[in-house]
């Protein structure tokens, strides 16, 4: 016992110099207890948290139920998506059928519209020809001075007597004679005189005699005689003036036909322009360069000038004087 209480050899030299008071009995055990108390509290807290986590954790049965619920929800969603896809597929099929029907209807409508357009063009051509045939006995005289109280019939009979000379009949059989039915011109130029003959042969005789004379002077004025054509024909001739100018430049003979057409003789064969879409084919067949020609039917047909420049009658004058072959008036034998 004494040996146990004896001072160890390692502390024998230092015990005498220790200035601290000797420790009280039981002080070391209290210190160790104070150090272990926070550890126990921490362990207790951790145990409580683990217990709470363990309590909140899903059991195997809960997991099975959750998976079953998820599968059921997924099945419902997939079924709903499949139903929507089926409805969408049905709608797409209906739209495809409707599209095909619409395409068929559109093709039928286009075909009907094309046929109606061709029919309208043919009707236009026939109306133009009928109007020209209604004017076939008319002569339009340009250049005669206009005065108040004049007698158009007497003036024209005197002019025609001068043109025919000794072949002039005693009676020209004029059904009517009058100035052009429009207001007087602002530039002071006289309006045209228009007359209608009872005899088409007499009218043609006068026109042939007028073409043989280079100039016709009557009442101290230069006078020109023209066939009376419909506005549609004049518009078409005006639109084709670039083509007729090219034909004149190439010295290719051409003539006008009725119903309306421009006919030219190239390499001993006749080529014709009846519609605007005939122009490119006509140029290729005649070996001529491409030139712009307005579409006188659909694309803004030319308007008849109202001023003193480029009168409508000048178009006929150019074609009558320059074309080597002329056929200006419609007749029953013309096509």
């Amino acid at each position: 016992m004494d040996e146990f209480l004896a001072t160890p050899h390692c502390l024998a030299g230092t015990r005498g110099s220790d200035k601290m008071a000797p420790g009280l009995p039981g002080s070391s055990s209290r210190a160790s207890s104070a150090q272990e108390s926070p550890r126990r509290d921490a362990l207790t807290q951790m145990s409580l948290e683990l217990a709470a986590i363990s309590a909140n954790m899903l059991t195997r049965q809960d997991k099975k139920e959750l998976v079953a619920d998820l599968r059921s929800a997924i099945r419902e969603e997939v079924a709903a998506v499949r139903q929507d896809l089926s409805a969408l597929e049905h709608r797409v099929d209906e739209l495809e059928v409707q599209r095909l029907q619409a395409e068929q209807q559109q093709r039928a409508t286009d075909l009907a519209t094309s046929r109606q357009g061709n029919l309208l063009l043919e009707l236009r051509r026939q109306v133009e020809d009928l109007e020209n045939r209604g004017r076939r006995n008319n002569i339009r005289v340009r250049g005669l001075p206009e005065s108040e109280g004049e007698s158009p019939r007497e003036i024209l009979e005197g002019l025609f007597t001068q043109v025919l000379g000794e072949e002039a009949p005693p009676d020209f059989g004029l059904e009517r004679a009058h100035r052009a039915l429009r207001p007087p011109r602002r530039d002071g130029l006289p309006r045209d005189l228009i007359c209608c003959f009872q005899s088409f042969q007499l009218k043609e005789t006068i026109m042939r005699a007028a073409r043989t004379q280079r100039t016709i002077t009557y009442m101290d004025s230069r006078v020109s005689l023209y066939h009376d054509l419909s506005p549609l024909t004049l518009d078409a001739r005006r639109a084709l003036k670039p083509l007729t100018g090219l034909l004149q430049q190439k010295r290719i003979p051409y003539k006008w036909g009725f119903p309306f057409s421009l006919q030219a003789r190239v390499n001993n064969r006749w080529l014709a322009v009846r519609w605007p879409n005939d122009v490119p084919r006509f140029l290729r067949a005649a070996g001529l360069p491409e030139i712009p020609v307005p579409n006188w039917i659909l694309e803004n047909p030319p308007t008849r000038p109202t001023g003193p420049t480029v009168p409508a009658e000048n178009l006929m004058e150019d074609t009558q004087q320059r074309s080597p072959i002329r056929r200006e008036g419609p007749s029953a034998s013309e096509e």
Side-chain angles (χ1 to χ4, degrees), residues 140 142-143 182 185 187 189-192 224 226 234-235 237-238 241 303-319:
R140 181 182 288 266
R142 180 174 177 266
R182 61 182 179 185
R185 300 176 59 149
D187 52 13
L189 294 177
R191 293 175 294 174
D192 296 342
S224 302
Y226 307 101
L234 293 177
D235 287 340
R237 291 191 178 189
R238 188 176 295 108
K241 194 166 185 179
T303 57
R304 189 173 296 100
T306 57
T309 59
V310 195
E313 294 81 0
N314 284 2
L315 177 63
M316 294 180 289
E317 180 182 13
D318 293 340
T319 57

Side-chain angles (χ1 to χ4, degrees), residues 51-175:
I53 293 173
S54 177
N56 292 330
M57 289 180 63
L58 297 177
T59 63
R60 182 176 297 177
Q61 183 64 27
D62 294 337
K63 293 179 180 180
K64 291 182 179 181
E65 293 177 357
L66 180 60
V67 170
D69 294 340
L70 289 175
R71 289 179 177 176
S72 177
I74 292 174
R75 289 194 188 96
E76 293 177 358
E77 293 293 335
V78 170
V81 170
R82 288 178 177 175
Q83 185 176 2
D84 294 340
L85 288 176
S86 178
L88 183 61
E89 182 180 3
H90 180 68
R91 293 181 59 185
V92 169
D93 293 339
E94 290 182 350
L95 291 176
E96 288 291 335
V97 173
Q98 294 176 3
R99 183 185 64 83
L100 293 176
Q101 293 177 353
E103 289 180 355
Q104 295 176 356
Q105 293 177 357
Q106 183 64 36
R107 285 194 294 268
T109 302
D110 293 342
L111 181 59
T113 302
S114 177
R115 290 177 177 175
Q116 291 176 359
N118 295 333
L119 178 59
L120 289 176
L121 291 177
E122 185 61 30
L123 290 176
R124 180 187 188 275
R125 181 180 173 86
Q126 294 180 10
V127 168
E128 178 184 357
D129 182 57
L130 288 175
E131 185 174 359
N132 283 324
R133 291 180 182 276
R135 298 167 180 253
R136 66 199 304 262
N137 288 3
N138 294 357
I139 291 181
R140 181 182 288 266
V141 181
R142 180 174 177 266
L144 289 174
E146 184 175 358
S147 61
E148 295 183 2
E150 64 183 6
S151 175
R153 184 183 297 271
E154 294 179 0
I155 295 174
L156 291 175
E157 287 180 351
L159 172 63
F160 298 149
T161 300
Q162 175 182 323
V163 171
L164 293 179
E166 297 179 355
E167 298 179 358
D171 182 15
F172 286 91
L174 295 179
E175 290 186 356

Side-chain angles (χ1 to χ4, degrees), residues 239-252:
L240 288 173
K241 194 166 185 179
L243 179 55
T244 56
L246 182 61
L247 294 175
Q248 293 168 8
Q249 180 182 355
K250 300 295 184 179
R251 298 185 179 276
I252 299 176

